[in-house]
Amino acid sequence: MLNLAHLPDTVYAIQHLAFEDLGAWEDIFYQLGLRVRYFEAGIDDLRKAFEHPGLMVILGGPIAVYETKDYPFLQEEIDLLKVRLKKNLPTLGICLGAQLIAAVLDAKVYSGDAKEIGWSKLNLAPIENNPLKSLKNTEVLHWHGDTFDLPEQAELLASSALYPNQAFRVGQNILALQFHAEVASESLEKWLIGHTCELRKAQINIPALRADHQSYAPLLEQAASSVLMHYLENLQLQ
């Protein structure tokens, strides 16, 4: 039985796009009796979120970690995240969030050789108690053009056919996922609208991507809920 007695009852989530939210995981948090509060990067003061002793989730977005000149708020995120990770506070990064964690841990984040947009299976690392074990043979949604090297202190959890570093953890409290485990089965259309320029430039077949989502997302929701529960169950709280 999951014991959340020592976990503050609010999950803070950093958004970089209004339509990239906690997806299916938001309902899980509510079912567990946790509240969710969103902070908009570049608009809100992020200090409260990054200093939060409970769970903080850094969500995805189309900007790059290394674009701090164009988007100065990214540097603020990086500086605040450095302090948070040093304190080993519960932190979960998705896509851009994972890249920010990698950068703070002194790993290189850079543009990849190809866009990875679409559904495919992960290659899970053969390690004991892999928190992604429920995703074995499950198609997951990839949506990124950047990638990162594995931080020295991190444990690799998964790879894909295109990119070797898809997920890692540092201890039990810090989890970074390059792919989108949180995506809800009913929410892809807003992604297709919001990211239309990127999809056109990458020559992605939009009807095929939509069809894949309809086929795979319900299965991913089930498997990914186990990932989230495993993570919460193994948090090491002070």
Side-chain angles (χ1 to χ4, degrees):
M1 182 70 181
L2 181 61
N3 183 6
L4 298 176
H6 299 296
L7 185 69
D9 65 1
T10 301
V11 175
Y12 286 177
I14 307 295
Q15 280 187 298
H16 300 91
L17 276 179
F19 60 80
E20 288 200 28
D21 53 26
L22 287 166
W25 284 1
E26 188 162 343
D27 286 340
I28 296 174
F29 288 133
Y30 290 146
Q31 291 164 13
L32 293 172
L34 298 170
R35 297 179 297 174
V36 172
R37 179 177 175 183
Y38 287 100
F39 287 76
E40 292 188 62
I43 298 173
D44 296 330
D45 184 347
L46 303 182
R47 285 173 293 182
K48 183 174 182 179
F50 278 90
E51 293 170 359
H52 179 49
L55 175 59
M56 187 189 73
V57 184
I58 310 175
L59 295 164
I63 54 179
V65 170
Y66 44 81
E67 293 181 320
T68 53
K69 280 190 175 182
D70 290 336
Y71 302 99
F73 67 84
L74 281 172
Q75 189 59 56
E76 179 191 12
E77 282 194 73
I78 290 168
D79 294 341
L80 291 170
L81 185 56
K82 283 182 181 178
V83 176
R84 182 174 183 85
L85 296 190
K86 283 182 180 179
K87 294 180 180 179
N88 195 34
L89 296 175
T91 306
L92 200 164
I94 298 172
C95 197
L96 174 58
Q99 294 162 11
L100 284 164
I101 291 174
V104 166
L105 296 176
D106 297 322
K108 182 181 179 182
V109 179
Y110 50 96
S111 179
D113 293 332
K115 289 276 188 181
E116 187 173 34
I117 300 176
W119 291 80
S120 66
K121 296 176 183 178
L122 296 167
N123 299 316
L124 300 183
I127 60 172
E128 186 176 356
N129 203 28
N130 190 325
L132 307 185
K133 60 185 178 182
S134 64
L135 298 179
K136 184 178 181 180
N137 296 322
T138 300
E139 306 273 347
V140 303
L141 178 63
H142 303 275
W143 202 306
H144 67 103
D146 284 352
T147 187
F148 50 80
D149 293 336
L150 186 69
E152 286 186 9
Q153 61 272 60
E155 182 177 29
L156 182 66
L157 302 176
S159 304
S160 71
L162 284 179
Y163 291 105
N165 300 319
Q166 280 286 345
F168 66 84
R169 67 180 173 188
V170 178
Q172 298 297 326
N173 289 359
I174 301 166
L175 179 63
L177 308 177
Q178 175 67 80
F179 59 94
H180 290 275
E182 84 290 0
V183 66
S185 57
E186 75 280 0
S187 68
L188 186 71
E189 203 63 32
K190 59 187 179 182
W191 288 47
L192 299 180
I193 297 168
H195 288 305
T196 182
C197 293
E198 180 184 24
L199 292 171
R200 299 295 186 195
K201 187 175 181 179
Q203 299 183 331
I204 300 298
N205 185 320
I206 294 175
L209 181 58
R210 182 185 291 113
D212 284 346
H213 184 83
Q214 292 169 349
S215 296
Y216 300 131
L219 298 174
L220 176 61
E221 279 194 26
Q222 297 178 28
S225 67
S226 297
V227 172
L228 182 58
M229 295 298 288
H230 183 283
Y231 172 69
L232 294 174
E233 288 168 358
N234 287 275
L235 285 177
Q236 296 176 344
L237 303 172
Q238 297 179 351

